[in-house]
Amino acid sequence: MEPLDDGCHWRVADPFVYHLGVEGSGLPITVPVDFETDLTSIPWGFRWLLPVWGRYGKGAVLHDWLYFVGVFDRIVCDAIFVESMKMLGVPWYQRWVIFKAVRYFGWIPWISHRRRMPAKSNIGAAVVKEEVPPVVAEAVVAEAKKE
């Protein structure tokens, strides 16, 4: 990750791959080089509890990428975020707080990305959609709802 001059955003320097379910599942999602993210959108007043970067950092970048490309429904993106945090060893209470936050407030960036999407075309969308079958995405949502 490379910080941008605005002090709020970061650029992915090296692509990274998240394997849905387990590593080697055959269901990879790749976050490409040069993708820009704000890491986690945690308000200043809560950063003592959850800093912008933590164990959940790569999951947050993945979540931003999924929101950006808009291939899945929002709940699927949020559920993949929960799954990724579990894989990264984020404690259940932090996963719960972050999941609730993205469910309550994630509609704001979601709508913003959807409004700008025509200008972006389908950057990365075809790759993600072909890699992850809908039935797997539905299973991820069901698992996240158990949290």
Side-chain angles (χ1 to χ4, degrees):
M1 300 294 295
E2 298 173 346
L4 297 180
D5 291 338
D6 68 3
C8 298
H9 292 89
W10 296 74
R11 178 178 295 117
V12 173
D14 296 308
F16 70 88
V17 179
Y18 174 74
H19 296 271
L20 200 56
V22 294
E23 190 167 350
S25 67
L27 303 169
I29 299 174
T30 303
V31 179
V33 171
D34 292 333
F35 175 65
E36 294 180 10
T37 176
D38 65 353
L39 303 177
T40 53
S41 305
I42 298 172
W44 281 99
F46 295 98
R47 291 184 183 176
W48 62 273
L49 177 64
L50 291 169
V52 174
W53 187 261
R55 264 191 203 168
Y56 42 80
K58 283 188 174 181
V61 175
L62 172 68
H63 185 251
D64 284 357
W65 170 247
L66 292 171
Y67 266 38
F68 178 79
V69 295
V71 174
F72 300 115
D73 292 336
R74 195 176 135 231
I75 183 68
V76 175
C77 297
D78 296 348
I80 292 171
F81 186 20
V82 171
E83 180 190 79
S84 70
M85 289 189 291
K86 195 172 189 175
M87 299 292 188
L88 291 165
V90 176
W92 69 267
Y93 57 89
Q94 286 185 340
R95 292 193 312 263
W96 185 84
V97 168
I98 292 170
F99 180 67
K100 292 300 181 186
V102 297
R103 291 309 302 150
Y104 288 128
F105 303 108
W107 63 271
I108 298 166
W110 180 262
I111 289 174
S112 173
H113 286 307
R114 299 296 63 78
R115 286 184 179 152
R116 293 185 303 209
M117 196 57 185
K120 296 177 193 169
S121 71
N122 287 327
I123 301 171
V127 174
V128 172
K129 195 164 215 162
E130 289 174 15
E131 292 174 344
V132 182
V135 68
V136 174
E138 291 167 14
V140 170
V141 171
E143 187 64 29
K145 287 182 177 179
K146 289 180 188 176
E147 289 270 326

